[in-house]
Amino acid sequence: MLRVALADAERMDLVPRNVAKAAKPPALGRTERRALTPEGAKTLLSVLTGDRLESLFVLALATGLRRAELLGLRWSDVDLPSGVLFVRQTPQRTDHGLEFVPPKTHRSARPLPLSALAVRALEAQRVRQAKERLAAGEVWSDLGLVFASTIGTAMEPRNVNQRFEQLRAAAGLDWLHLHDLRHAFATFLLDQGEELRTVMELLGHSTIRMTADTYGHVLPARARQGASANDRILG
């Protein structure tokens, strides 16, 4: 961040040179992330059944969307017949409360194809929300959000995390964080042989290196599969 700021200052002739370029940053150690297994995911899905936020958490696992992307999703961004949704806004906390802003990068603002699991979750959410809207009556605020409060307003992100923590404990997954569902989505795809660039596009990463660095623990297994494939070809 400092190097970028000084680069602007250098370009504007405010400083003679960008001294931050000469700095040698410390090496960052890699911490192994505990990964959700398919069996763990199925256990979690069974615990989610019937919960008010079931569809939100299922969609997180089925699409890899970030919490902010889920909470900013509108029905106008979802095309269920075509099986695709578009990330077009996210909530941001300001002095006036939660406000919706466009995604920070063009990579984040992306179309996402929907699996059958994701489509079913959205269909269930539409039914659940219709009942809540009927119950709320005139106090309903029609913001068009897929995941809203019981009166249609934007959901408080911290409340979403708190509910997930309760559900993960019921599933015996005390170590699991909501953001880990995004990682599970990517890990499952790579484990099934999907291309790294495909996963990068789905996650909205800015570079393929970011995807490779984050999910490098999955790639050695794929490399071994490639070596075995070569054995089959050459007999």
Side-chain angles (χ1 to χ4, degrees), residues 1-8 18-20:
M1 187 183 298
L2 184 59
R3 185 172 66 176
V4 170
L6 287 174
D8 288 338
N18 186 348
V19 294

Side-chain angles (χ1 to χ4, degrees), residues 149-166:
S149 71
T150 53
I151 58 172
T153 55
M155 291 186 65
E156 171 56 55
R158 287 172 294 191
N159 293 344
V160 174
N161 279 57
Q162 289 173 2
R163 184 55 186 156
F164 183 76
E165 289 167 4
Q166 294 169 350

Side-chain angles (χ1 to χ4, degrees), residues 100 139-143 145 147-156:
F100 292 97
V139 300
W140 181 267
S141 297
D142 193 6
L143 301 181
L145 296 172
F147 301 108
S149 71
T150 53
I151 58 172
T153 55
M155 291 186 65
E156 171 56 55

